[in-house]
Amino acid sequence: MANVQDLMEKDIFELLHIPDLPDDKKTEMLNIINETIQARVVARIAEAVSEEEAQQFSALAEKDDQEAMKKFLTDRQISLEQLALEEALNYRIELVETLDLATNSKES
């Protein structure tokens, strides 16, 4: 498996050993990755607040009220950037581990 520095700095397609993937497929894959990370961040926010607060945040998100969402998180000392970084790194690790597992099982 790649070390943490590689996981943080390398292009995701290099990590997955598919740097020559066509651009349209890369875009499609990046969209899926971003949606997954966003869903995980939202889940982490929901876990960090009460059910009522989670509903309030959801309403702000539906309105796409960026300033109110930022204030909501700041007031609760929740760092969106930190959550996003953590989830992005966790997802990269999962992708690489899954690829390693699939590659190793094919070799067996």
Side-chain angles (χ1 to χ4, degrees), residues 18 24-25 51 53 62 72 89 100:
I18 52 173
D24 62 326
K25 295 296 182 188
E51 188 174 325
E53 289 173 317
E62 285 180 24
F72 177 95
L89 182 57
D100 287 348

Side-chain angles (χ1 to χ4, degrees), residues 7-8 33-45 57 73 78-93:
L7 286 169
M8 291 172 36
I33 290 169
N34 286 330
E35 288 172 9
T36 301
I37 292 169
Q38 286 176 353
R40 290 178 176 202
V41 168
V42 168
R44 294 265 309 268
I45 292 169
F57 186 77
L73 296 172
I78 297 172
S79 171
L80 183 60
E81 293 81 13
Q82 183 67 33
L83 290 178
L85 285 171
E86 289 173 8
E87 290 306 322
L89 182 57
N90 287 338
Y91 195 54
R92 280 177 168 250
I93 290 168

Side-chain angles (χ1 to χ4, degrees), residues 12-55:
I12 188 67
F13 301 106
E14 288 178 35
L15 284 171
L16 299 175
H17 308 291
I18 52 173
D20 298 326
L21 193 67
D23 286 345
D24 62 326
K25 295 296 182 188
K26 284 183 178 181
T27 300
E28 185 179 332
M29 191 168 173
L30 285 173
N31 287 337
I32 292 168
I33 290 169
N34 286 330
E35 288 172 9
T36 301
I37 292 169
Q38 286 176 353
R40 290 178 176 202
V41 168
V42 168
R44 294 265 309 268
I45 292 169
E47 291 172 2
V49 298
S50 70
E51 188 174 325
E52 181 180 322
E53 289 173 317
Q55 290 174 350

Side-chain angles (χ1 to χ4, degrees), residues 57-107:
F57 186 77
S58 179
L60 295 174
E62 285 180 24
K63 293 178 189 175
D64 197 28
D65 189 341
Q66 297 295 317
E67 285 302 313
M69 288 169 42
K70 184 176 180 180
K71 181 176 178 355
F72 177 95
L73 296 172
T74 301
D75 288 350
R76 287 154 185 83
Q77 297 179 335
I78 297 172
S79 171
L80 183 60
E81 293 81 13
Q82 183 67 33
L83 290 178
L85 285 171
E86 289 173 8
E87 290 306 322
L89 182 57
N90 287 338
Y91 195 54
R92 280 177 168 250
I93 290 168
E94 289 173 24
L95 288 172
V96 170
E97 286 178 344
T98 301
L99 177 67
D100 287 348
L101 182 63
T103 302
N104 290 336
S105 68
K106 284 182 182 179
E107 293 172 359

